Amino acid sequence: MKFAYYPGCSADSSGVEYGMSMVRTAEILGIELFELDDWNCCGATSAHSTDKMLSLALPARNLAIAEKQGMDMLAPCAACYSRHRNVEYVIEHDPDMKHRIEEIIDKKLEGSTQTVSILDVLANKIGPATIASKVTQPLTGMKAACYYGCLLVRPVEYTGYDDPEDPQTMDEVMKALGADVLDWSHKVECCGAAMVTSRPDVGNRMLYHVLQGAKESGAECIVTACPLCMLNLDMRQAAVEKEYHTKFNLPIYYVTELLAFACGDAPETVGINKHFVDAIPYLNEVKKRAAEAEAQARAQQDKKETVTEDPELLQKKINSMIKAFEKGPDKMAGRLLDDESRASVLAEIISNDEKKRNKLAELMVSDKDKAVKVADAFVTGELKKRNE
Amino acid sequence: MSGKKGAKTVETAVKLTPITESQKEFISRIEKEAGTSIHLCYQCGKCTAGCPAAFAMDYPPRKIIRLLQLGMVDTAINAESIWLCASCETCTARCPKGVNIASLMDAMRRAALKQGKITDKKIAAFNKGFLSGVKNFGRTYEAGLTLQYNLSTGQLFKDMALGLPMMNRGKVSIFPERIKGRDEVKKIFEKVQQLGGEE
């Protein structure tokens, strides 16, 4: 799989971890990325708030270059993705506008390539099964709130989501990595975007509701695929905590960071150590949980194997155990009970009571702990009988 | 409602006058640019119910459309809410009548900018700073944008506490990244301006 890669302006600065983990994700999954030649900024919200033609022409120049490179363009940043999809939509539906854009950028547009989002690539083009097959350090026990925000989902004319209120692509990827994903209230709500910078009185409240929604759902971390969501949720979390007199302590991760980590990368390799809310301890906790879950699963598996053993073989084992009990009642009693006087009582029981002897032999094969308990009960019963 | 209260409502009620030609022309231009029609709206309020910024708005999305339906262009264009719209597209996605409200808010914001009626100077300053970086270098220059934004809005020390931790994490480029096609990008800005747009 090949893509023209459009890192976007934040991949070298505020969203440096997104760039690092995107490149690793591609390497792990065998996706070839060719950085778009001499790409320019898409203009983001500032352009479409200022001039419509400018907001179309800036991404259009990139699209013309992608067409020349002959590859679909992967734009991990949600805003970059949306702005380029917007232009593709206009090119397809408005021939007059297409012509005007071409005049301004002084390049032809064929509409022969498409801009794709990282969620689309991971969930639909690569698929959860392939991703799961690469996992070496599963995120078992991670309680994740998948946060899509706005522009990866809306408008659906650009993104193609069948359910814009409850999208599933990131959830599917996270499940493939082994995490528990939670249903929660603010999955597709806005984080406040640039307003957290320009109007914190408004933006911080929006941010607070997203963080609070995640916390209330029982999530222990938030997963995002947007550098602006990350910047706000991570860097501004402390300010929001202060303003609202609360503690969230929610680590935020890029979905690509978690993919690389689950496939064996050290957190530092993909920049997880660069976050403002320390995101390493929770990964260690998840590692611990995953190890515990694995040990438990293995124990259960072993037990199952004993139970499902070949019945003929099992009977053979029991028979030879019965023989051992018949031959050496003292020795077997000593193996079951530590107390000498009680062991000698048990030896007598083994010698005289065939039914009890067979029972103990059977238990010794299937569950030694239980055999000890039953032997002890036999002795207690016998002593009681003698005292009467 | 008591009779007295009712009388007061009448007193403060909007006095409607017939819509003027220039108002009519403005509205149809906005509709064309936004690719939508305000007359589809039946005022159900679903847009406002879902708007994450409505709590801070003087005229939330439903009211902006109502103002335009009534021809009250000046009130609408001076509303702070058109600047507080975060372009999250929730209203558009949920409108049962298919009104592209987010696009309408966008078109209103641009019209306000053109007419110099900038109710929220901070947001406009941010946008201006952002685009001047793109015009000069071809890409956004975050560090420069922060500095320019702080200077132009008189908030010299805003977010200063975050500056050093950002640098320590390798999240600040000291110098802007310049692309080879800077002239091409600059030309785009110039051509757009010639067409009557604002920078």
Side-chain angles (χ1 to χ4, degrees):
Chain A
M1 206 173 291
K2 283 181 188 177
F3 290 107
Y5 175 44
Y6 182 84
C9 299
S10 68
D12 276 340
S13 44
S14 60
V16 66
E17 318 92 321
Y18 203 14
M20 293 163 79
S21 59
M22 183 62 243
V23 169
R24 279 299 298 143
T25 294
E27 281 168 2
I28 290 164
L29 299 174
I31 301 167
E32 284 184 90
L33 298 180
F34 300 86
E35 185 164 337
L36 192 76
D37 190 31
D38 205 43
W39 55 271
N40 60 268
C41 170
C42 71
T45 305
S46 292
H48 73 72
S49 290
T50 303
D51 190 285
K52 189 175 181 178
M53 196 42 114
L54 185 67
S55 77
L56 293 168
L58 286 173
R61 178 179 174 272
N62 294 323
L63 294 179
I65 298 170
E67 284 177 7
K68 238 183 178 172
Q69 279 184 228
M71 281 177 263
D72 283 345
M73 189 172 96
L74 171 60
C77 167
C80 300
Y81 164 70
S82 184
R83 293 326 302 162
H84 288 94
R85 286 293 300 138
N86 171 257
V87 177
E88 284 164 352
Y89 187 83
V90 169
I91 292 172
E92 196 184 338
H93 293 91
D94 190 343
D96 176 50
M97 189 56 103
K98 172 179 176 271
H99 184 67
R100 287 166 63 195
I101 296 169
E102 285 175 331
E103 271 183 3
I104 287 179
I105 63 170
D106 204 15
K107 287 179 190 334
K108 281 273 165 220
L109 291 165
E110 310 287 341
S112 56
T113 61
Q114 212 195 5
T115 307
V116 295
S117 79
I118 181 63
L119 294 180
D120 184 27
V121 170
L122 292 179
N124 304 325
K125 294 187 162 55
I126 301 277
T130 308
I131 292 172
S133 73
K134 309 270 183 193
V135 171
T136 56
Q137 167 64 62
L139 307 178
T140 316
M142 173 179 271
K143 291 189 184 353
C146 294
Y147 181 49
Y148 297 72
C150 313
L151 299 179
L152 287 165
V153 180
R154 295 181 296 263
V156 283
E157 290 84 358
Y158 306 168
T159 65
Y161 273 104
D162 50 359
D163 187 350
E165 300 289 349
D166 188 16
Q168 291 298 323
T169 47
M170 198 195 299
D171 293 62
E172 282 166 21
V173 174
M174 287 305 297
K175 278 188 226 166
L177 300 180
D180 292 334
V181 296
L182 296 152
D183 277 332
W184 69 301
S185 51
H186 284 59
K187 201 173 189 178
V188 293
E189 287 272 325
C190 178
C191 70
M195 227 161 4
V196 179
T197 302
S198 56
R199 283 290 302 266
D201 56 320
V202 182
N204 280 359
R205 181 154 154 190
M206 293 161 78
L207 204 47
Y208 166 76
H209 285 301
V210 174
L211 290 162
Q212 182 69 12
K215 201 82 188 174
E216 277 170 6
S217 75
E220 293 168 343
C221 67
I222 299 177
V223 189
T224 178
C226 169
L228 192 50
C229 293
M230 170 59 92
L231 192 69
N232 285 340
L233 292 168
D234 181 48
M235 189 174 83
R236 307 273 182 187
Q237 195 176 128
V240 173
E241 284 176 336
K242 202 171 155 198
E243 190 177 331
Y244 286 87
H245 310 288
T246 186
K247 268 276 171 224
F248 292 117
N249 198 21
L250 278 170
I252 318 294
Y253 301 99
Y254 287 111
V255 64
T256 42
E257 287 177 334
L258 291 178
L259 189 143
F261 174 75
C263 295
D265 273 9
E268 294 76 15
T269 309
V270 287
I272 299 177
N273 55 328
K274 293 175 185 289
H275 295 198
F276 280 79
V277 179
D278 193 351
I280 308 265
Y282 186 59
L283 289 184
N284 290 334
E285 169 65 23
V286 168
K287 243 183 181 171
K288 215 171 83 191
R289 285 183 201 170
E292 275 165 17
E294 208 194 321
Q296 226 166 38
R298 202 176 296 147
Q300 218 150 32
Q301 185 67 28
D302 288 349
K303 217 169 157 187
K304 235 187 194 166
E305 269 164 19
T306 328
V307 174
T308 54
E309 219 172 14
D310 180 13
E312 242 175 75
L313 195 74
L314 195 68
Q315 195 54 54
K316 254 188 188 169
K317 273 189 185 170
I318 292 172
N319 289 344
S320 65
M321 189 59 82
I322 290 173
K323 264 187 198 141
F325 270 85
E326 282 169 353
K327 261 183 163 174
D330 294 324
K331 192 176 142 201
M332 294 313 285
R335 272 177 65 181
L336 282 165
L337 297 177
D338 291 335
D339 186 286
E340 252 173 62
S341 64
R342 287 178 76 86
S344 74
V345 177
L346 182 63
E348 279 172 47
I349 298 171
I350 292 170
S351 308
N352 304 329
D353 192 328
E354 192 192 340
K355 225 174 154 185
K356 283 181 179 160
R357 178 168 66 225
N358 290 352
K359 178 78 190 170
L360 286 174
E362 200 186 314
L363 283 173
M364 274 297 269
V365 172
S366 62
D367 188 344
K368 200 192 161 194
D369 289 346
K370 207 171 167 192
V372 171
K373 271 184 203 154
V374 171
D376 200 53
F378 285 165
V379 173
T380 307
E382 178 67 23
L383 290 176
K384 213 173 161 191
K385 223 171 16 184
R386 287 182 192 178
N387 283 339
E388 267 166 16
Chain B
M1 202 188 278
S2 74
K4 229 179 176 181
K5 227 176 174 185
K8 198 173 172 212
T9 310
V10 170
E11 236 172 71
T12 55
V14 172
K15 289 197 180 83
L16 292 175
T17 47
I19 189 164
T20 64
E21 275 311 306
S22 76
Q23 286 167 336
K24 235 189 220 167
E25 197 255 340
F26 174 85
I27 290 166
S28 67
R29 193 153 33 86
I30 288 285
E31 281 183 310
K32 189 170 176 254
E33 219 190 293
T36 196
S37 166
I38 55 167
H39 300 291
L40 290 170
C41 170
Y42 52 23
Q43 292 286 298
C44 72
K46 198 172 182 180
C47 50
T48 298
C51 174
F55 68 88
M57 289 179 169
D58 46 359
Y59 294 95
R62 179 187 67 83
K63 287 191 180 174
I64 290 288
I65 296 185
R66 190 64 185 145
L67 288 171
L68 292 176
Q69 283 176 338
L70 295 174
M72 299 172 72
V73 169
D74 267 1
T75 314
I77 208 163
N78 283 304
E80 190 186 23
S81 58
I82 59 177
W83 295 95
L84 294 183
C85 164
S87 306
C88 78
E89 301 270 351
T90 305
C91 49
T92 302
R94 291 180 184 170
C95 176
K97 295 285 282 174
V99 180
N100 195 340
I101 305 146
S103 181
L104 196 77
M105 294 295 261
D106 220 21
M108 287 295 288
R109 197 156 45 232
R110 293 191 295 259
L113 191 66
K114 256 182 208 170
Q115 297 184 15
K117 290 174 177 161
I118 305 164
T119 312
D120 195 302
K121 301 238 170 1
K122 285 182 183 170
I123 292 170
F126 179 88
N127 290 340
K128 199 174 173 189
F130 187 100
L131 292 175
S132 92
V134 180
K135 187 181 177 185
N136 290 323
F137 310 120
R139 288 184 192 165
T140 315
Y141 174 39
E142 285 176 350
L145 167 60
T146 308
L147 195 67
Q148 188 179 356
Y149 172 69
N150 285 1
L151 284 174
S152 67
T153 54
Q155 315 172 83
L156 278 190
F157 303 110
K158 188 182 177 294
D159 290 335
M160 208 171 72
L162 293 169
L164 198 61
M166 288 272 289
M167 280 217 195
N168 287 340
R169 286 168 172 79
K171 293 189 169 195
V172 181
S173 312
I174 311 283
F175 299 107
E177 228 177 290
R178 297 157 203 266
I179 68 167
K180 280 179 277 168
R182 288 198 295 285
D183 287 347
E184 283 177 40
V185 173
K186 213 170 229 172
K187 221 172 251 169
I188 289 175
F189 274 85
E190 282 161 9
K191 278 187 185 171
V192 165
Q193 204 180 5
Q194 279 163 19
L195 284 174
E198 293 278 329
E199 270 184 51

